[in-house]
Amino acid sequence: MKAEKLYREAWRLLNTVTPLYGDCGTLCGGACCDDGGNEDAGMYLFPGEEAMYTACPAWMRVEESAFCYGAADTKALIAMCDGTCVRAMRPLACRIFPLTPYKKPGQPLQIIMDPRAKAMCPLAQAAAVSDLDPRFVRAVRLIFLVLLRNRQVAEFVEELSYLLDEQMQFYE
């Protein structure tokens, strides 16, 4: 299955579910979309997701990041926005926020609260994954069970999991 079709379906699955039973951004003033004046803030695109942005919207730019994954040390792409977006065009990382996939070799997939979110997201600071809308958590899990069948996505998530381990030490 082509990347664009996979991501279009992933996005569709998340169209009607959010971490809470409403737009959680109304509770915190959209803290996850506020880069605090740091123009280098953004969200990683999962491998192949760049196919969704062949015509990049004016509010976003896509660049190579310093984060590398896989045997070929592929540079991950990062989507940086100006703090506004068309919700229907948000990257997958924005749609699943404050959750993230976590998987190490030989271990099952986990959907965890992203430790990087703790600096900005009230949900990540005060809630557990089990406190979120279970439909949202199930959709995120299903999406990554499918996406992880792709070798590049699996390599990306594995390397991301090691990065998350480094971040978790700051929030224990």
Side-chain angles (χ1 to χ4, degrees):
M1 190 179 288
K2 290 191 174 191
E4 185 176 356
K5 188 173 181 180
L6 276 173
Y7 285 105
R8 193 165 308 286
E9 181 62 14
W11 287 11
R12 186 193 65 75
L13 287 172
L14 293 167
N15 276 344
T16 58
V17 292
T18 59
L20 300 178
Y21 290 100
D23 181 357
C24 59
T26 60
L27 298 174
C28 65
C32 55
C33 294
D34 181 4
D35 69 2
N38 181 1
E39 293 180 10
D40 292 332
M43 299 294 266
Y44 291 124
L45 294 179
F46 288 91
E49 191 177 9
E50 66 275 9
M52 302 301 286
Y53 300 105
T54 53
C56 208
W59 47 266
M60 179 191 342
R61 68 186 194 278
V62 175
E63 297 179 0
E64 283 187 345
S65 73
F67 177 66
C68 296
Y69 65 93
D73 272 341
T74 304
K75 286 188 177 243
L77 297 176
I78 190 165
M80 292 180 266
C81 72
D82 63 9
T84 63
C85 73
V86 176
R87 279 185 71 82
M89 293 294 296
R90 290 174 300 149
L92 184 57
C94 293
R95 293 167 187 265
I96 67 171
F97 190 85
L99 299 180
T100 191
Y102 182 93
K103 183 165 183 347
K104 297 279 189 71
Q107 296 178 3
L109 169 67
Q110 296 177 58
I111 302 300
I112 65 168
M113 196 67 75
D114 191 328
R116 299 167 298 172
K118 291 185 185 268
M120 71 189 80
C121 177
L123 291 177
Q125 294 165 2
V129 172
S130 59
D131 296 326
L132 303 180
D133 182 343
R135 298 171 305 154
F136 174 70
V137 178
R138 277 193 305 271
V140 173
R141 175 176 295 287
L142 174 63
I143 287 164
F144 282 99
L145 286 172
V146 172
L147 288 177
L148 285 172
R149 293 177 185 165
N150 176 286
R151 181 185 51 80
Q152 288 181 308
V153 174
E155 289 174 344
F156 177 87
V157 170
E158 181 179 318
E159 195 62 37
L160 178 65
S161 297
Y162 289 109
L163 176 70
L164 296 172
D165 285 343
E166 292 175 16
Q167 295 290 316
M168 281 186 226
Q169 69 183 343
F170 297 110
Y171 295 101
E172 293 178 341

